[in-house]
Coordinates of all heavy atoms in Angstrom, one line a residue:
T257 N -7.7 -8.5 13.6 CA -9.0 -7.8 13.2 C -9.1 -7.9 11.7 O -8.2 -7.4 11.0 CB -9.0 -6.3 13.7 OG1 -8.8 -6.4 15.1 CG2 -10.4 -5.7 13.4
I258 N -10.2 -8.3 11.2 CA -10.4 -8.3 9.8 C -11.6 -7.4 9.5 O -12.7 -7.5 9.9 CB -10.8 -9.8 9.2 CG1 -9.6 -10.7 9.5 CG2 -11.2 -9.7 7.8 CD1 -9.8 -12.1 9.0
D259 N -11.3 -6.3 8.8 CA -12.2 -5.3 8.4 C -11.7 -4.7 7.1 O -10.8 -5.3 6.4 CB -12.4 -4.3 9.5 CG -11.2 -3.6 9.9 OD1 -10.1 -3.6 9.2 OD2 -11.2 -2.9 10.9
Q260 N -12.2 -3.5 6.7 CA -11.8 -2.9 5.4 C -10.3 -2.6 5.4 O -9.7 -2.6 4.3 CB -12.6 -1.7 5.2 CG -12.4 -0.5 6.1 CD -13.3 -0.5 7.3 OE1 -13.9 -1.5 7.6 NE2 -13.2 0.5 8.0
R261 N -9.7 -2.4 6.5 CA -8.2 -2.1 6.5 C -7.4 -3.3 6.0 O -6.3 -3.2 5.6 CB -7.8 -1.7 7.9 CG -8.5 -0.3 8.3 CD -8.3 0.1 9.7 NE -9.0 -1.0 10.6 CZ -8.8 -1.0 11.9 NH1 -8.3 0.1 12.5 NH2 -9.4 -1.9 12.5
T262 N -8.0 -4.5 6.2 CA -7.4 -5.7 5.6 C -7.2 -5.6 4.1 O -6.2 -5.9 3.6 CB -8.1 -7.0 6.0 OG1 -8.2 -7.1 7.4 CG2 -7.5 -8.2 5.5
D263 N -8.3 -5.1 3.5 CA -8.2 -4.9 2.0 C -7.2 -3.8 1.7 O -6.5 -3.9 0.6 CB -9.6 -4.5 1.5 CG -10.6 -5.7 1.5 OD1 -10.2 -6.8 1.5 OD2 -11.8 -5.3 1.6
L264 N -7.0 -2.8 2.5 CA -6.1 -1.7 2.2 C -4.6 -2.3 2.3 O -3.8 -1.9 1.7 CB -6.3 -0.6 3.2 CG -7.6 0.2 3.0 CD1 -7.8 1.2 4.1 CD2 -7.6 0.8 1.6
Y265 N -4.4 -3.3 3.2 CA -3.1 -3.9 3.2 C -2.9 -4.6 1.9 O -1.7 -4.5 1.4 CB -3.1 -5.0 4.3 CG -1.7 -5.6 4.5 CD1 -0.8 -5.1 5.4 CD2 -1.4 -6.8 3.8 CE1 0.4 -5.7 5.5 CE2 -0.1 -7.3 3.9 CZ 0.8 -6.8 4.8 OH 2.1 -7.4 4.9
G266 N -3.9 -5.3 1.3 CA -3.7 -5.8 0.0 C -3.4 -4.8 -1.1 O -2.5 -5.1 -2.0
V267 N -4.1 -3.7 -1.0 CA -3.8 -2.6 -1.9 C -2.3 -2.1 -1.8 O -1.6 -1.9 -2.8 CB -4.8 -1.4 -1.7 CG1 -4.3 -0.1 -2.5 CG2 -6.2 -1.8 -2.0
G268 N -1.9 -2.1 -0.6 CA -0.4 -1.7 -0.3 C 0.5 -2.7 -0.9 O 1.5 -2.3 -1.5
A269 N 0.2 -4.0 -0.8 CA 1.1 -5.0 -1.4 C 1.1 -4.8 -2.9 O 2.2 -5.0 -3.5 CB 0.6 -6.3 -0.9
V270 N 0.0 -4.7 -3.5 CA -0.1 -4.5 -5.0 C 0.7 -3.2 -5.4 O 1.5 -3.2 -6.3 CB -1.5 -4.4 -5.5 CG1 -1.6 -4.0 -7.0 CG2 -2.2 -5.8 -5.3
L271 N 0.5 -2.1 -4.7 CA 1.2 -0.9 -5.0 C 2.7 -1.0 -4.8 O 3.4 -0.5 -5.6 CB 0.6 0.3 -4.1 CG 1.1 1.7 -4.3 CD1 0.9 2.1 -5.8 CD2 0.4 2.7 -3.4
Y272 N 3.1 -1.7 -3.7 CA 4.5 -2.0 -3.5 C 5.1 -2.6 -4.7 O 6.2 -2.3 -5.2 CB 4.7 -2.8 -2.2 CG 6.1 -3.1 -1.9 CD1 6.8 -2.3 -0.9 CD2 6.8 -4.1 -2.4 CE1 8.1 -2.6 -0.6 CE2 8.1 -4.4 -2.1 CZ 8.7 -3.6 -1.2 OH 10.0 -3.9 -0.9
E273 N 4.5 -3.7 -5.2 CA 5.0 -4.4 -6.3 C 5.0 -3.7 -7.6 O 6.0 -3.7 -8.4 CB 4.2 -5.8 -6.5 CG 4.8 -6.7 -7.5 CD 4.3 -8.0 -7.5 OE1 3.6 -8.4 -6.5 OE2 4.6 -8.8 -8.4
A274 N 3.9 -2.8 -7.8 CA 3.9 -1.9 -8.9 C 5.1 -0.9 -9.0 O 5.6 -0.6 -10.0 CB 2.6 -1.2 -9.0
L275 N 5.4 -0.4 -7.8 CA 6.5 0.6 -7.7 C 7.9 0.0 -7.7 O 8.8 0.6 -8.2 CB 6.3 1.3 -6.4 CG 5.1 2.3 -6.2 CD1 5.0 2.8 -4.9 CD2 5.3 3.4 -7.3
T276 N 8.0 -1.2 -7.2 CA 9.4 -1.8 -7.1 C 9.7 -2.9 -8.1 O 10.9 -3.2 -8.4 CB 9.6 -2.4 -5.7 OG1 8.7 -3.5 -5.5 CG2 9.4 -1.4 -4.6
G277 N 8.7 -3.6 -8.6 CA 8.9 -4.7 -9.6 C 9.0 -6.0 -8.8 O 9.3 -7.0 -9.5
V278 N 8.9 -6.0 -7.6 CA 9.1 -7.2 -6.8 C 8.0 -7.3 -5.7 O 7.5 -6.3 -5.2 CB 10.5 -7.4 -6.1 CG1 11.5 -7.5 -7.1 CG2 10.7 -6.2 -5.1
A279 N 7.6 -8.5 -5.4 CA 6.6 -8.6 -4.3 C 7.3 -8.2 -2.9 O 8.4 -8.4 -2.7 CB 6.1 -10.1 -4.2
A280 N 6.4 -7.7 -2.1 CA 6.9 -7.2 -0.8 C 7.5 -8.3 0.0 O 8.4 -8.2 0.8 CB 5.7 -6.5 0.0
F281 N 6.9 -9.5 -0.1 CA 7.4 -10.7 0.7 C 7.6 -11.8 -0.3 O 7.0 -12.9 -0.1 CB 6.4 -11.0 1.7 CG 6.1 -10.0 2.7 CD1 5.1 -9.0 2.7 CD2 7.1 -9.7 3.7 CE1 4.9 -8.0 3.6 CE2 6.9 -8.7 4.7 CZ 5.8 -7.8 4.6
A282 N 8.4 -11.6 -1.3 CA 8.7 -12.7 -2.2 C 9.3 -13.9 -1.4 O 10.1 -13.8 -0.4 CB 9.7 -12.2 -3.2
P283 N 8.9 -15.1 -1.8 CA 9.4 -16.3 -1.1 C 10.9 -16.5 -1.2 O 11.4 -16.3 -2.3 CB 8.6 -17.5 -1.7 CG 8.2 -17.0 -3.0 CD 8.0 -15.5 -2.9
K284 N 11.5 -16.8 -0.1 CA 13.0 -17.1 -0.2 C 13.2 -18.5 -0.6 O 14.1 -18.9 -1.2 CB 13.5 -16.9 1.2 CG 13.5 -15.5 1.7 CD 14.1 -15.4 3.1 CE 14.1 -13.9 3.5 NZ 14.7 -13.7 4.8
R285 N 12.1 -19.4 -0.3 CA 12.0 -20.8 -0.9 C 10.7 -20.9 -1.4 O 9.8 -20.0 -1.3 CB 12.3 -21.7 0.2 CG 13.7 -21.6 0.9 CD 13.8 -22.7 1.9 NE 13.0 -22.5 3.0 CZ 13.3 -21.9 4.2 NH1 14.5 -21.5 4.3 NH2 12.4 -21.7 5.2
D286 N 10.5 -21.9 -2.1 CA 9.1 -22.1 -2.8 C 8.1 -22.7 -1.8 O 7.5 -23.8 -2.0 CB 9.3 -23.0 -4.0 CG 8.1 -22.8 -5.0 OD1 7.4 -21.8 -4.8 OD2 7.9 -23.8 -5.7
V287 N 8.0 -22.1 -0.7 CA 7.1 -22.5 0.5 C 6.1 -21.4 0.8 O 6.6 -20.4 1.3 CB 7.9 -23.0 1.7 CG1 6.9 -23.5 2.7 CG2 8.8 -24.1 1.3
K288 N 4.8 -21.6 0.5 CA 3.9 -20.6 0.9 C 3.8 -20.2 2.3 O 3.7 -19.1 2.7 CB 2.5 -21.0 0.3 CG 2.4 -21.0 -1.2 CD 1.0 -21.3 -1.6 CE 0.9 -21.3 -3.1 NZ -0.4 -21.7 -3.6
S289 N 3.9 -21.2 3.2 CA 3.9 -20.9 4.6 C 5.0 -19.9 5.0 O 4.8 -19.1 6.0 CB 4.0 -22.2 5.4 OG 5.2 -22.9 5.2
T290 N 6.1 -20.0 4.3 CA 7.2 -19.1 4.6 C 6.8 -17.6 4.3 O 7.1 -16.7 5.1 CB 8.5 -19.4 3.8 OG1 8.8 -20.7 4.2 CG2 9.6 -18.5 4.1
V291 N 6.1 -17.5 3.2 CA 5.6 -16.2 2.8 C 4.6 -15.6 3.9 O 4.7 -14.5 4.4 CB 4.9 -16.2 1.4 CG1 4.3 -14.8 1.1 CG2 5.9 -16.5 0.4
F292 N 3.7 -16.5 4.3 CA 2.7 -16.0 5.4 C 3.4 -15.6 6.7 O 3.1 -14.7 7.3 CB 1.7 -17.1 5.7 CG 0.8 -17.4 4.5 CD1 0.6 -18.7 4.0 CD2 0.1 -16.4 3.8 CE1 -0.2 -18.9 3.0 CE2 -0.7 -16.7 2.7 CZ -0.8 -17.9 2.3
M293 N 4.5 -16.4 7.1 CA 5.2 -16.0 8.3 C 5.9 -14.7 8.1 O 6.0 -13.9 9.0 CB 6.1 -17.2 8.7 CG 5.4 -18.4 9.0 SD 4.2 -18.2 10.3 CE 5.1 -17.7 11.7
R294 N 6.5 -14.5 6.9 CA 7.2 -13.2 6.6 C 6.2 -12.1 6.7 O 6.6 -11.0 7.2 CB 7.9 -13.3 5.3 CG 9.1 -14.3 5.3 CD 9.9 -14.3 4.1 NE 10.5 -13.0 3.9 CZ 10.7 -12.5 2.7 NH1 10.4 -13.1 1.6 NH2 11.3 -11.3 2.6
I295 N 5.0 -12.2 6.1 CA 4.0 -11.2 6.1 C 3.7 -10.8 7.6 O 3.6 -9.6 8.0 CB 2.7 -11.6 5.4 CG1 3.0 -11.7 3.9 CG2 1.5 -10.7 5.8 CD1 1.9 -12.3 3.1
L296 N 3.6 -11.8 8.5 CA 3.2 -11.6 9.9 C 4.4 -11.0 10.6 O 4.1 -10.1 11.6 CB 2.8 -12.9 10.5 CG 1.5 -13.5 10.1 CD1 1.3 -14.9 10.7 CD2 0.3 -12.6 10.4
R297 N 5.6 -11.3 10.4 CA 6.7 -10.9 11.2 C 7.6 -9.8 10.7 O 8.3 -9.2 11.4 CB 7.5 -12.2 11.5 CG 6.7 -13.2 12.3 CD 7.5 -14.3 12.7 NE 6.8 -15.2 13.5 CZ 7.0 -16.6 13.6 NH1 7.9 -17.1 12.9 NH2 6.2 -17.2 14.4
E298 N 7.7 -9.7 9.3 CA 8.8 -8.8 8.8 C 8.2 -7.6 8.2 O 7.0 -7.6 7.8 CB 9.5 -9.6 7.7 CG 10.3 -10.8 8.2 CD 11.0 -11.5 7.0 OE1 11.3 -11.0 6.0 OE2 11.3 -12.7 7.3
V299 N 9.0 -6.6 8.0 CA 8.7 -5.4 7.3 C 9.4 -5.5 5.9 O 10.6 -5.9 5.8 CB 9.2 -4.1 8.0 CG1 9.0 -2.9 7.2 CG2 8.5 -4.1 9.4
P300 N 8.7 -5.2 4.8 CA 9.4 -5.3 3.5 C 10.5 -4.3 3.3 O 10.4 -3.3 4.0 CB 8.2 -5.0 2.6 CG 7.2 -4.3 3.2 CD 7.3 -4.7 4.7
P301 N 11.4 -4.6 2.5 CA 12.4 -3.6 2.2 C 11.7 -2.3 1.7 O 10.8 -2.3 1.2 CB 13.2 -4.2 1.0 CG 12.9 -5.7 1.1 CD 11.5 -5.8 1.7
H302 N 12.4 -1.2 2.1 CA 11.8 0.1 1.9 C 11.8 0.4 0.4 O 12.8 0.1 -0.4 CB 12.7 1.2 2.6 CG 11.9 2.4 2.8 ND1 12.0 3.5 2.1 CD2 11.0 2.7 3.8 CE1 11.2 4.4 2.6 NE2 10.6 4.0 3.6
V303 N 10.7 1.0 -0.1 CA 10.6 1.2 -1.6 C 11.7 2.0 -2.1 O 12.2 1.8 -3.2 CB 9.2 1.9 -1.7 CG1 9.1 2.4 -3.2 CG2 8.0 1.1 -1.4
V304 N 12.1 3.1 -1.4 CA 13.2 3.9 -1.9 C 14.5 3.2 -2.2 O 15.1 3.5 -3.1 CB 13.4 5.1 -0.9 CG1 14.7 6.0 -1.3 CG2 12.2 6.0 -0.8
G305 N 14.8 2.2 -1.4 CA 16.0 1.4 -1.5 C 15.9 0.5 -2.8 O 17.0 0.1 -3.3
L306 N 14.7 0.3 -3.3 CA 14.6 -0.7 -4.4 C 14.4 0.0 -5.7 O 14.8 -0.5 -6.8 CB 13.4 -1.7 -4.2 CG 13.5 -2.6 -3.0 CD1 12.3 -3.3 -2.7 CD2 14.7 -3.5 -3.2
R307 N 13.9 1.2 -5.8 CA 13.6 1.9 -6.9 C 13.4 3.4 -6.7 O 12.7 3.8 -5.7 CB 12.3 1.4 -7.6 CG 12.0 1.9 -9.0 CD 11.0 1.1 -9.6 NE 10.6 1.7 -10.9 CZ 9.8 1.1 -11.7 NH1 9.2 -0.1 -11.4 NH2 9.5 1.7 -12.8
E308 N 14.0 4.2 -7.5 CA 13.9 5.7 -7.4 C 13.6 6.2 -8.7 O 14.0 5.6 -9.8 CB 15.2 6.2 -6.8 CG 15.4 5.7 -5.4 CD 16.6 6.3 -4.7 OE1 16.9 7.4 -4.9 OE2 17.2 5.6 -3.9
P309 N 13.1 7.4 -8.8 CA 12.6 8.2 -7.8 C 11.1 7.8 -7.5 O 10.3 7.7 -8.4 CB 12.7 9.5 -8.2 CG 12.6 9.6 -9.7 CD 13.1 8.2 -10.1
V310 N 10.7 7.7 -6.3 CA 9.4 7.6 -5.8 C 9.0 8.8 -4.9 O 9.8 9.0 -3.9 CB 9.1 6.2 -5.1 CG1 7.7 6.1 -4.6 CG2 9.4 5.1 -6.0
P311 N 8.0 9.5 -5.1 CA 7.7 10.6 -4.3 C 7.6 10.2 -2.8 O 7.0 9.1 -2.5 CB 6.3 11.1 -4.8 CG 6.2 10.7 -6.3 CD 7.0 9.4 -6.2
D312 N 8.1 10.9 -1.9 CA 8.0 10.7 -0.5 C 6.6 10.4 0.0 O 6.4 9.5 0.9 CB 8.7 11.8 0.4 CG 10.2 11.9 0.2 OD1 10.8 11.0 -0.3 OD2 10.7 13.0 0.5
T313 N 5.7 11.2 -0.5 CA 4.3 11.0 0.0 C 3.8 9.7 -0.4 O 3.0 9.1 0.3 CB 3.4 12.1 -0.5 OG1 3.6 12.2 -1.9 CG2 3.7 13.5 0.1
L314 N 4.2 9.2 -1.6 CA 3.7 7.9 -2.0 C 4.4 6.7 -1.3 O 3.7 5.8 -0.9 CB 4.0 7.7 -3.5 CG 3.5 6.5 -4.3 CD1 1.9 6.4 -4.0 CD2 3.7 6.6 -5.7
V315 N 5.6 6.9 -0.9 CA 6.3 5.9 -0.1 C 5.7 5.9 1.3 O 5.4 4.8 1.8 CB 7.9 6.3 0.1 CG1 8.5 5.5 1.1 CG2 8.5 6.2 -1.2
E316 N 5.3 7.0 1.8 CA 4.6 7.1 3.1 C 3.3 6.4 3.1 O 2.9 5.6 4.0 CB 4.4 8.5 3.6 CG 5.7 9.3 4.0 CD 5.5 10.8 4.2 OE1 4.3 11.2 4.4 OE2 6.5 11.5 4.2
L317 N 2.6 6.6 2.0 CA 1.2 5.8 1.8 C 1.4 4.4 1.7 O 0.8 3.6 2.5 CB 0.5 6.4 0.5 CG -0.7 5.6 0.3 CD1 -1.8 5.8 1.4 CD2 -1.4 6.1 -1.0
V318 N 2.4 3.9 1.0 CA 2.7 2.5 0.9 C 3.1 1.9 2.3 O 2.6 0.9 2.8 CB 3.9 2.2 -0.1 CG1 4.3 0.7 0.1 CG2 3.5 2.4 -1.5
D319 N 3.9 2.6 3.1 CA 4.3 2.3 4.5 C 3.0 2.2 5.3 O 2.8 1.2 6.1 CB 5.3 3.2 5.0 CG 6.7 3.1 4.4 OD1 6.9 2.1 3.7 OD2 7.5 4.1 4.6
Q320 N 2.1 3.1 5.2 CA 0.9 3.1 6.0 C 0.0 1.9 5.6 O -0.5 1.2 6.5 CB 0.0 4.3 5.8 CG 0.6 5.6 6.4 CD -0.2 6.8 6.1 OE1 -1.4 6.8 5.8 NE2 0.4 8.0 6.2
L321 N -0.1 1.7 4.3 CA -0.9 0.6 3.8 C -0.4 -0.8 4.3 O -1.2 -1.7 4.5 CB -1.1 0.6 2.3 CG -1.9 1.8 1.7 CD1 -1.8 1.9 0.2 CD2 -3.4 1.7 2.1
L322 N 0.9 -0.9 4.4 CA 1.5 -2.2 4.8 C 1.8 -2.2 6.3 O 2.5 -3.2 6.7 CB 2.8 -2.4 4.0 CG 2.7 -2.6 2.6 CD1 4.0 -2.8 1.8 CD2 1.8 -4.0 2.3
A323 N 1.2 -1.4 7.1 CA 1.4 -1.4 8.5 C 0.9 -2.7 9.1 O -0.2 -3.2 8.6 CB 0.7 -0.2 9.2
K324 N 1.7 -3.3 10.0 CA 1.2 -4.6 10.6 C 0.0 -4.5 11.3 O -0.9 -5.3 11.3 CB 2.4 -5.1 11.5 CG 3.6 -5.5 10.7 CD 3.4 -6.5 9.8 CE 4.7 -6.9 9.1 NZ 4.6 -7.6 7.8
S325 N -0.2 -3.4 12.0 CA -1.4 -3.2 12.8 C -2.4 -2.4 12.0 O -2.1 -1.4 11.4 CB -1.1 -2.3 14.0 OG -2.3 -1.9 14.7
P326 N -3.6 -2.9 11.9 CA -4.7 -2.2 11.2 C -4.9 -0.8 11.6 O -5.2 0.1 10.8 CB -5.9 -3.0 11.4 CG -5.5 -4.4 11.7 CD -4.1 -4.2 12.4
D327 N -4.6 -0.5 12.9 CA -4.7 0.9 13.4 C -3.6 1.9 12.7 O -3.9 3.1 12.7 CB -4.5 1.0 14.9 CG -5.7 0.2 15.5 OD1 -6.8 0.2 15.0 OD2 -5.5 -0.2 16.7
G328 N -2.6 1.3 12.1 CA -1.6 2.2 11.5 C -1.9 2.4 10.0 O -1.3 3.2 9.3
R329 N -3.0 1.8 9.5 CA -3.4 2.0 8.1 C -4.5 3.1 8.0 O -5.2 3.4 9.0 CB -4.0 0.7 7.5 CG -3.0 -0.4 7.5 CD -3.6 -1.7 7.0 NE -2.8 -2.8 7.6 CZ -3.3 -3.9 8.0 NH1 -4.6 -4.2 7.9 NH2 -2.5 -4.9 8.5
P330 N -4.7 3.6 6.8 CA -5.9 4.6 6.7 C -7.2 3.8 7.1 O -7.3 2.6 7.0 CB -6.0 4.8 5.2 CG -4.5 4.6 4.7 CD -4.0 3.5 5.5
A331 N -8.1 4.5 7.7 CA -9.3 3.9 8.3 C -10.2 3.4 7.2 O -11.0 2.5 7.5 CB -10.1 5.0 9.1
S332 N -10.1 3.9 6.0 CA -11.1 3.4 4.9 C -10.4 3.7 3.6 O -9.4 4.4 3.5 CB -12.4 4.2 5.0 OG -12.2 5.5 4.7
A333 N -11.0 3.1 2.5 CA -10.5 3.3 1.1 C -10.6 4.8 0.9 O -9.7 5.4 0.1 CB -11.2 2.4 0.2
L334 N -11.7 5.4 1.3 CA -11.9 6.8 1.1 C -10.8 7.6 1.6 O -10.3 8.6 1.0 CB -13.3 7.2 1.6 CG -13.8 8.6 1.2 CD1 -13.7 8.9 -0.3 CD2 -15.2 9.0 1.8
D335 N -10.4 7.3 2.9 CA -9.3 8.1 3.5 C -8.0 7.9 2.7 O -7.3 8.9 2.5 CB -9.1 7.6 5.0 CG -10.1 8.0 5.8 OD1 -10.9 8.9 5.6 OD2 -10.2 7.5 7.0
A336 N -7.8 6.7 2.2 CA -6.6 6.5 1.3 C -6.7 7.3 0.0 O -5.7 7.9 -0.4 CB -6.5 5.0 1.0
L337 N -7.9 7.4 -0.6 CA -8.1 8.1 -1.8 C -7.8 9.7 -1.5 O -7.3 10.4 -2.3 CB -9.5 8.0 -2.3 CG -9.8 6.8 -3.1 CD1 -11.3 6.7 -3.4 CD2 -9.0 6.7 -4.3
H338 N -8.3 10.1 -0.3 CA -8.0 11.5 0.1 C -6.4 11.8 0.1 O -6.0 12.8 -0.3 CB -8.6 11.9 1.4 CG -10.1 12.2 1.2 ND1 -10.6 13.3 0.6 CD2 -11.1 11.5 1.7 CE1 -11.9 13.3 0.6 NE2 -12.3 12.2 1.3
I339 N -5.7 10.8 0.6 CA -4.3 10.9 0.7 C -3.6 11.0 -0.7 O -2.9 11.9 -1.0 CB -3.6 9.8 1.5 CG1 -4.1 9.8 2.9 CG2 -2.1 9.8 1.3 CD1 -3.7 8.6 3.8
V340 N -4.2 10.1 -1.6 CA -3.7 10.2 -3.1 C -4.1 11.5 -3.7 O -3.3 12.0 -4.4 CB -4.3 9.0 -3.8 CG1 -4.0 9.1 -5.2 CG2 -3.8 7.7 -3.3
D341 N -5.3 12.0 -3.4 CA -5.8 13.3 -4.0 C -4.8 14.4 -3.6 O -4.5 15.2 -4.4 CB -7.2 13.5 -3.6 CG -7.8 14.6 -4.4 OD1 -7.7 14.7 -5.6 OD2 -8.4 15.5 -3.8
E342 N -4.4 14.4 -2.3 CA -3.6 15.4 -1.8 C -2.2 15.4 -2.4 O -1.4 16.5 -2.5 CB -3.5 15.4 -0.3 CG -4.8 15.7 0.4 CD -4.7 15.5 1.9 OE1 -3.6 15.0 2.5 OE2 -5.7 15.6 2.5
M343 N -1.8 14.2 -3.0 CA -0.5 14.2 -3.7 C -0.4 14.9 -5.0 O 0.6 15.1 -5.5 CB -0.1 12.7 -3.8 CG 0.2 12.0 -2.7 SD 0.6 10.3 -3.1 CE 0.2 9.4 -1.6
N344 N -1.6 15.2 -5.6 CA -1.7 15.8 -6.8 C -0.9 15.1 -8.0 O -0.3 15.6 -8.8 CB -1.2 17.3 -6.8 CG -2.1 18.2 -6.0 OD1 -3.3 18.1 -6.1 ND2 -1.4 19.0 -5.1
I345 N -1.1 13.7 -7.9 CA -0.5 12.9 -8.9 C -1.4 12.3 -9.9 O -1.0 11.7 -10.9 CB 0.4 11.7 -8.3 CG1 -0.4 10.8 -7.5 CG2 1.6 12.2 -7.5 CD1 0.3 9.6 -7.0
V346 N -2.7 12.5 -9.6 CA -3.7 12.1 -10.5 C -4.2 13.3 -11.4 O -4.5 14.4 -10.8 CB -5.0 11.5 -9.7 CG1 -6.1 11.1 -10.7 CG2 -4.5 10.3 -8.9
Q347 N -4.3 13.1 -12.7 CA -4.7 14.2 -13.6 C -6.1 14.6 -13.2 O -6.9 13.8 -12.9 CB -4.7 13.7 -15.0 CG -3.3 13.4 -15.5 CD -2.3 14.5 -15.5 OE1 -2.8 15.7 -15.8 NE2 -1.1 14.4 -15.1
P348 N -6.4 15.9 -13.2 CA -7.7 16.4 -12.9 C -8.9 15.7 -13.6 O -10.0 15.6 -13.0 CB -7.7 17.9 -13.2 CG -6.3 18.3 -13.2 CD -5.5 17.0 -13.7
N349 N -8.9 15.4 -14.9 CA -10.0 14.8 -15.6 C -10.0 13.4 -15.6 O -10.8 12.8 -16.3 CB -10.0 15.5 -17.0 CG -10.3 16.9 -16.9 OD1 -11.0 17.4 -16.1 ND2 -9.6 17.6 -17.9
S350 N -9.0 12.7 -15.0 CA -9.0 11.3 -15.1 C -9.7 10.7 -13.9 O -9.9 11.3 -12.9 CB -7.5 10.8 -15.0 OG -6.9 11.1 -13.8
M351 N -10.1 9.5 -14.0 CA -10.8 8.7 -13.0 C -11.9 9.5 -12.4 O -11.9 9.8 -11.1 CB -9.8 8.2 -11.9 CG -8.8 7.3 -12.5 SD -7.7 6.6 -11.3 CE -6.6 7.9 -10.9
P352 N -13.0 9.9 -13.1 CA -14.1 10.7 -12.6 C -14.8 10.0 -11.5 O -15.3 10.6 -10.6 CB -15.0 10.9 -13.8 CG -14.5 9.9 -14.8 CD -13.2 9.6 -14.6
S353 N -14.9 8.7 -11.5 CA -15.6 8.0 -10.4 C -14.9 8.2 -9.0 O -15.5 8.3 -8.0 CB -15.7 6.5 -10.6 OG -14.5 5.9 -10.8
I354 N -13.5 8.3 -9.0 CA -12.8 8.6 -7.8 C -13.1 10.0 -7.4 O -13.3 10.3 -6.2 CB -11.3 8.3 -8.0 CG1 -11.1 6.8 -8.2 CG2 -10.5 8.9 -6.8 CD1 -9.6 6.4 -8.5
R355 N -13.2 10.9 -8.3 CA -13.5 12.3 -7.9 C -14.8 12.4 -7.3 O -15.0 13.1 -6.4 CB -13.4 13.2 -9.2 CG -12.0 13.3 -9.8 CD -11.1 14.0 -9.0 NE -9.7 13.9 -9.6 CZ -8.6 14.1 -8.9 NH1 -8.7 14.5 -7.6 NH2 -7.4 14.0 -9.4
V356 N -15.8 11.7 -7.8 CA -17.1 11.7 -7.2 C -17.1 11.2 -5.8 O -17.7 11.7 -4.9 CB -18.1 10.9 -8.1 CG1 -19.4 10.7 -7.4 CG2 -18.3 11.6 -9.5
A357 N -16.4 10.1 -5.6 CA -16.3 9.5 -4.2 C -15.6 10.5 -3.3 O -16.0 10.5 -2.1 CB -15.5 8.2 -4.3
L358 N -14.6 11.2 -3.7 CA -13.9 12.1 -2.9 C -14.8 13.3 -2.4 O -14.6 13.9 -1.4 CB -12.7 12.7 -3.5 CG -11.5 11.8 -3.6 CD1 -10.5 12.3 -4.5 CD2 -11.0 11.4 -2.3
K359 N -15.9 13.6 -3.2 CA -16.7 14.7 -2.9 C -17.8 14.3 -1.9 O -18.5 15.2 -1.4 CB -17.4 15.2 -4.2 CG -16.4 15.9 -5.1 CD -17.1 16.4 -6.4 CE -16.0 17.1 -7.2 NZ -16.7 17.5 -8.5
R360 N -17.9 13.1 -1.7 CA -19.0 12.6 -0.7 C -18.6 12.9 0.8 O -17.6 13.0 1.1 CB -19.2 11.1 -0.8 CG -19.8 10.8 -2.1 CD -20.1 9.3 -2.2 NE -20.6 9.0 -3.6 CZ -20.7 7.8 -4.0 NH1 -20.3 6.8 -3.3 NH2 -21.1 7.6 -5.3

């Protein structure tokens, strides 16, 4: 199924790399098809095992965003933003456009 949750998977992949310094599915060989097969079949190494400290709630969000089944991911970007907001890791006066979106 391709819908907004597909984009959230991409957000999860970028967040994973930002937290760990490595791609979730870095190629074992220089073959793109191998990466695609790994994305479909494998679970990436756990964030905590690659870099610490990462808050548990952020690790859980990355795991949700990278869920193989779209049903395991947040239903929308707004739902993902609510999860981030509940973590209290964003400064109150930063990213005002996100704060506006959360109030909708």
Side-chain angles (χ1 to χ4, degrees):
T257 303
I258 297 178
D259 59 15
Q260 69 273 10
R261 296 170 298 178
T262 303
D263 292 334
L264 292 175
Y265 184 90
V267 170
V270 171
L271 185 56
Y272 181 98
E273 188 165 350
L275 290 171
T276 65
V278 297
F281 298 100
K284 293 180 180 178
R285 295 181 295 263
D286 198 21
V287 179
K288 288 183 181 180
S289 62
T290 302
V291 174
F292 294 129
M293 294 309 293
R294 291 184 65 213
I295 289 169
L296 292 173
R297 295 184 178 150
E298 296 178 19
V299 175
H302 205 260
V303 170
V304 173
L306 296 174
R307 186 164 176 176
E308 294 185 34
V310 177
D312 291 341
T313 52
L314 190 52
V315 171
E316 290 171 18
L317 176 60
V318 171
D319 289 345
Q320 287 178 25
L321 292 169
L322 290 177
K324 296 296 180 197
S325 169
D327 293 334
R329 299 178 204 141
S332 68
L334 187 58
D335 287 350
L337 282 175
H338 280 292
I339 294 168
V340 171
D341 190 51
E342 290 171 5
M343 290 181 204
N344 293 317
I345 59 174
V346 178
Q347 296 297 320
N349 295 324
S350 67
M351 298 187 283
S353 59
I354 291 177
R355 297 286 171 203
V356 170
L358 288 171
K359 291 179 183 178
R360 292 182 186 168

